[in-house]
Amino acid sequence: MNLAQRSIRLCLYSTSAQVSRTKWDLMSAVCLERKPVLSGELNEIERKFSRMLADIELENSHKSDHEVRYETETLQAELLKSKSLDLDIEQTLQQTAQDFEDAAVDEYNKFVFESRITEADKANDLQNLERKLDRHLLLLVQQKQWDQKIWALPQGLQKDGETMLQTAERVLREKCGDDLTVQFYGNAPCGVYKYKYPKMFVSREEEGPVGAKVFFFKAQYIAGYVDHNKLKLQEFKWLGREELMSSLSQEYYRNISQFLIDEE
Amino acid sequence: MIGCLDVDVGFRCADRCLLFAEPLKKKKRIDPAILKQREERKKKRLEKQIRRLERNAKQLKPIDELEVPLELVDGKKERMREAAVITPAVEEERALLTKDWTRYKRKQHLKDMQMIDRLMFAQQKALDELRQESEELYQAAIQINPTLLPFTVRGPVKTPPIKGYDSPDGEYTDVSKKCVVNNHWTGVVNPCLQVYESNCTEEQNM
């Protein structure tokens, strides 16, 4: 008798098994992300293609007012030179198209754009949200589990009468303070992580939960800061995708990466 | 059986009622001259309305954006750019680049589809696990949240905003034309047909 048959038989014949089936703790966790603030750099082929489109656009276009003006002025200047006509004072006082262009270029060059690499990038400040502006950042908090501290998404047990989403909202408030404004993406969890408690911490009785199911809810960071006081001894950090692996356990990371949106 | 009987009785009653009714009234006679006059008046009224509509039909609000400015039409010749010389080599390069581009976009699209599959699978798995624990929580999880839409997000941008930057206002000139709705007879005919006064006043703050 193979395994499938046995399991079917078990389902068919065991009415009592349903009642005393394994019990799981239900937990909600918040997958809070800061979305990219800056657009990414174009890669090789994108740059080439956009340059080609710009070329074709220019070839098919007509001349602008500025170009027409520029051409007539150069023509006039040539005429003036060749025939050495008397200079019209009114015309010389006018700003020529070339002058205008120079002034515009000058103004553009003087303008200082904010750098895409911020102070937080240079200091590698993991708690600062202004790091890696063109990437996703994910909030991790340090939590005590059994006898050790681990990094994980903020999570907590579900209370009676709460839906899972309400649990997630409460957990985030409890862990990170009220200052954080976020937008949850919906009532449904986006992923689950199931794990069994280690044997030495589980009560010997049959009734107790054997493990926990953590349901993840995605949320987008809108504004505010994580409250330092609220966290007490706990720590937090905002991590990019490529930094997650080193902070999380392999099993946990595998589960999380199932529902994270890829970056280029 | 009972149904048939009832219907039968009903018919008989109706017959009797008809027979007992008083004789029909004689139709009132109207002078044909008056009738003709009435008809004429109706016709006149309609004609007047049609005339008014025709007069006003030409006065719809003008949409300037749909018309090419005259100075562009006139100066089309001098605005023509001398045709760029595209060598066969450049042409070839462009064709190859376009092919490369389509391949690149296709790969990107496939990757996206795979990612969406993965996300949906993860969500379905989570919902299944939740259902095993509690039907109630599952039902709460699959409800649609109508308050989520519309959802607006801004960004991403090319460079981060400069902190404390006071953007110059620039010079503001309102060149929008103001049209006055002339609806002294709206409600008479077609209320959808709003007629504007033909001489739109162009106001410009100089």
Side-chain angles (χ1 to χ4, degrees):
Chain A
M1 197 158 55
N2 63 26
L3 208 76
Q5 280 175 328
R6 261 176 69 185
S7 61
I8 289 169
R9 197 157 286 188
L10 217 82
C11 289
L12 287 174
Y13 296 127
S14 60
T15 43
S16 56
Q18 287 288 323
V19 182
S20 66
R21 70 171 182 200
T22 49
K23 223 175 124 195
W24 297 82
D25 273 336
L26 293 186
M27 284 184 167
S28 281
V30 186
C31 171
L32 182 60
E33 277 190 308
R34 195 230 44 207
K35 290 277 163 189
V37 180
L38 299 183
S39 52
E41 300 273 10
L42 298 184
N43 62 22
E44 178 75 26
I45 186 163
E46 284 169 344
R47 211 175 310 122
K48 265 190 189 167
F49 195 71
S50 81
R51 206 182 303 137
M52 185 185 92
L53 287 184
D55 286 347
I56 292 173
E57 176 88 19
L58 182 72
E59 282 160 21
N60 294 337
S61 69
H62 289 220
K63 282 175 194 163
S64 67
D65 283 348
H66 176 74
E67 282 175 283
V68 171
R69 190 180 145 199
Y70 180 75
E71 272 173 18
T72 49
E73 275 174 8
T74 42
L75 212 74
Q76 270 177 3
E78 271 172 31
L79 277 176
L80 280 177
K81 250 184 210 169
S82 58
K83 291 181 182 172
S84 62
L85 283 170
D86 293 331
L87 285 174
D88 194 349
I89 298 167
E90 262 184 57
Q91 283 214 325
T92 47
L93 282 176
Q94 266 179 2
Q95 187 196 36
T96 61
Q98 185 62 51
D99 290 341
F100 173 75
E101 208 173 303
D102 290 344
V105 169
D106 203 37
E107 192 183 337
Y108 176 77
N109 285 336
K110 264 187 199 157
F111 190 85
V112 186
F113 288 101
E114 188 79 334
S115 163
R116 285 170 67 97
I117 294 162
T118 57
E119 291 296 316
D121 275 321
K122 283 173 197 156
N124 205 20
D125 183 359
L126 297 182
Q127 300 199 338
N128 199 327
L129 269 164
E130 272 163 29
R131 206 168 61 93
K132 285 180 184 287
L133 285 176
D134 57 348
R135 296 272 157 176
H136 286 80
L137 287 184
L138 192 70
L139 176 69
L140 292 188
V141 294
Q142 203 167 38
Q143 305 181 50
K144 210 173 165 224
Q145 197 176 46
W146 315 117
D147 53 349
Q148 56 182 344
K149 277 183 172 177
I150 54 150
W151 285 103
L153 303 176
Q155 64 178 43
L157 272 172
Q158 183 241 4
K159 286 180 183 168
D160 282 344
E162 267 182 339
T163 66
M164 297 313 282
L165 180 65
Q166 283 163 351
T167 309
E169 282 167 350
R170 175 177 57 79
V171 165
L172 190 68
R173 258 199 317 280
E174 281 175 4
K175 301 248 174 193
C176 303
D178 300 323
D179 192 31
L180 218 53
T181 319
V182 301
Q183 171 74 56
F184 277 91
Y185 278 164
N187 290 329
C190 58
V192 67
Y193 172 55
K194 207 164 143 183
Y195 67 96
K196 284 199 168 175
Y197 296 146
K199 281 226 172 76
M200 51 183 174
F201 296 107
V202 179
S203 55
R204 298 267 172 248
E205 296 156 40
E206 289 285 304
E207 303 291 305
V210 292
K213 284 182 180 179
V214 187
F215 294 96
F216 296 100
F217 287 86
K218 266 189 195 170
Q220 181 178 347
Y221 166 85
I222 306 282
Y225 291 97
V226 176
D227 195 346
H228 282 270
N229 303 328
K230 205 79 173 188
L231 285 159
K232 288 165 204 155
L233 294 171
Q234 292 174 343
E235 284 205 54
F236 73 95
K237 55 186 178 184
W238 292 93
L239 290 190
R241 290 284 147 80
E242 66 284 355
E243 298 162 328
L244 286 175
M245 188 106 100
S246 53
S247 293
L248 301 172
S249 75
Q250 210 172 9
E251 181 66 15
Y252 194 72
Y253 175 74
R254 207 175 52 77
N255 270 281
I256 299 264
S257 56
Q258 282 303 304
F259 57 81
L260 289 181
I261 286 181
D262 293 334
E263 284 179 336
E264 288 294 311
Chain B
M1 284 304 284
I2 294 168
C4 287
L5 204 101
D6 280 351
V7 172
D8 211 25
V9 171
F11 269 130
R12 252 177 240 165
C13 277
D15 275 356
R16 223 161 280 165
C17 290
L18 256 181
L19 290 176
F20 291 144
E22 63 171 327
L24 292 167
K25 264 185 191 164
K26 217 178 185 181
K27 215 183 171 187
K28 214 177 168 186
R29 282 227 151 193
I30 311 169
D31 191 14
I34 295 176
L35 259 179
K36 210 176 170 190
Q37 210 179 0
R38 235 184 243 175
E39 205 121 299
E40 204 110 300
R41 227 179 281 157
K42 218 182 197 173
K43 217 168 140 190
K44 246 186 193 170
R45 203 166 53 223
L46 265 174
E47 268 175 8
K48 202 176 168 192
Q49 278 188 1
I50 288 170
R51 242 183 296 133
R52 193 152 51 184
L53 254 182
E54 275 177 350
R55 198 178 60 228
N56 287 322
K58 288 166 195 162
Q59 301 179 2
L60 290 174
K61 186 185 174 189
I63 307 174
D64 294 333
E65 293 86 345
L66 292 181
E67 287 164 18
V68 181
L70 270 177
E71 71 238 38
L72 288 186
V73 176
D74 292 343
K76 199 184 171 190
K77 228 178 202 173
E78 65 189 58
R79 280 174 190 272
M80 287 298 263
R81 212 180 278 285
E82 46 273 20
V85 189
I86 299 168
T87 58
V90 172
E91 211 166 339
E92 181 70 13
E93 196 189 328
R94 281 184 182 177
L96 285 177
L97 184 56
T98 314
K99 282 179 189 171
D100 275 348
W101 177 253
T102 46
R103 272 192 285 272
Y104 169 70
K105 287 313 268 187
R106 179 175 173 275
K107 232 183 247 171
Q108 218 174 31
H109 175 72
L110 276 182
K111 234 174 110 188
D112 280 354
M113 289 296 123
Q114 277 168 4
M115 180 183 71
I116 291 169
D117 271 354
R118 197 190 70 212
L119 295 178
M120 280 167 71
F121 180 76
Q123 179 161 65
Q124 196 52 54
K125 194 179 160 204
L127 285 171
D128 289 347
E129 288 283 354
L130 187 61
R131 192 169 206 174
Q132 276 178 19
E133 295 309 311
S134 154
E135 180 68 24
E136 232 172 87
L137 289 177
Y138 171 76
Q139 287 301 334
I142 59 169
Q143 293 309 311
I144 290 170
N145 186 350
T147 58
L148 279 179
L149 291 172
F151 177 58
T152 45
V153 228
R154 302 182 81 191
V157 290
K158 185 77 188 163
T159 59
I162 300 172
K163 276 183 194 111
Y165 181 70
D166 187 23
S167 175
D169 281 338
E171 286 152 30
Y172 175 71
T173 21
D174 187 8
V175 293
S176 55
K177 287 173 184 169
K178 275 179 191 152
C179 288
V180 186
V181 184
N182 180 12
N183 56 356
H184 57 265
W185 54 273
T186 339
V188 180
V189 197
N190 187 358
C192 302
L193 212 150
Q194 282 191 334
V195 172
Y196 295 85
E197 280 185 352
S198 57
N199 51 342
C200 285
T201 48
E202 195 171 330
E203 282 185 18
Q204 251 174 322
N205 305 340
M206 296 308 266

